[in-house]
Amino acid sequence: MDIKLYYQEKGTGEPLILLHGNGEDSSYFINQIDYFQNAYHVIAIDTRGHGKSPRGDAPFTIEQFSCDLYDFMQGHQISNAIILGFSDGANIAMKFAMKHPSMVKGLILNGGNLEPMGVKRATQIPIEIGYKIASHFAGKSADAKRNAEMLGLMVNEPNIKPSEL
């Protein structure tokens, strides 16, 4: 991994990894971290380019985020875990589980989608418009580039076929 992911951890016992949604960070799970710490070793990760985790040079994709999760688990000697993912965190968890099923003891998925068209059009259209605008200005502005990358996750990914699950 070209970066070191920031994470918060509390508790002991079986690992429970929490993956936040697009544009969020591990603080999204502050109440869940406190609640589950008595029964689990709770680990809330800031994914690449989110929160306190650096962007790095690798692709900014759900696939890359799942590779980052693999490297994180290997680096922390976590052989398997329960993974809870919200929104893009659920998409990351699905991609990860497809590639590394033996490392997943359980999945808790909330608000994930298999493809961009899985999002209601009334929600997706403004995201697509924002993505086009941000992409247009990405070469001129670091903020526009960052916005284009974040919105691109929702416009272009995750593209999971039900048969792959």
Side-chain angles (χ1 to χ4, degrees), residues 56-115:
D57 295 323
F60 201 76
T61 63
I62 298 295
E63 180 71 28
Q64 180 61 52
F65 297 165
S66 75
C67 293
D68 292 344
L69 177 57
Y70 174 83
D71 291 342
F72 178 89
M73 289 177 68
Q74 291 291 106
H76 289 84
Q77 299 177 343
I78 301 170
S79 60
N80 64 45
I82 299 168
I83 301 174
L84 183 154
F86 170 71
S87 192
D88 269 359
N91 299 341
I92 296 164
M94 286 187 281
K95 284 280 192 179
F96 179 83
M98 290 165 36
K99 286 179 86 171
H100 309 286
S102 66
M103 296 179 75
V104 180
K105 184 161 186 181
L107 283 176
I108 304 165
L109 306 173
N110 182 323
N113 57 300
L114 299 180
E115 58 182 35

Side-chain angles (χ1 to χ4, degrees), residues 100-162:
H100 309 286
S102 66
M103 296 179 75
V104 180
K105 184 161 186 181
L107 283 176
I108 304 165
L109 306 173
N110 182 323
N113 57 300
L114 299 180
E115 58 182 35
M117 297 311 289
V119 178
K120 289 182 182 178
R121 291 305 295 157
T123 301
Q124 189 69 3
I125 288 171
I127 293 168
E128 291 173 3
I129 292 168
Y131 173 67
K132 287 180 183 179
I133 293 168
S135 295
H136 179 75
F137 291 103
K140 300 174 180 141
S141 163
D143 286 341
K145 181 179 179 184
R146 177 173 163 73
N147 286 338
E149 285 187 321
M150 291 288 187
L151 293 171
L153 292 171
M154 295 186 283
V155 170
N156 301 313
E157 298 200 56
N159 301 308
I160 299 170
K161 295 176 185 152

Side-chain angles (χ1 to χ4, degrees), residues 24-70:
E24 298 166 341
D25 61 42
S26 58
S27 68
Y28 179 83
F29 291 113
I30 191 69
N31 294 319
Q32 290 78 12
I33 294 168
D34 289 340
Y35 181 83
F36 287 113
Q37 72 175 327
N38 294 325
Y40 298 94
H41 177 195
V42 183
I43 304 163
I45 299 171
D46 285 359
T47 55
R48 176 182 294 271
H50 290 76
K52 296 180 183 176
S53 290
R55 162 66 178 84
D57 295 323
F60 201 76
T61 63
I62 298 295
E63 180 71 28
Q64 180 61 52
F65 297 165
S66 75
C67 293
D68 292 344
L69 177 57
Y70 174 83

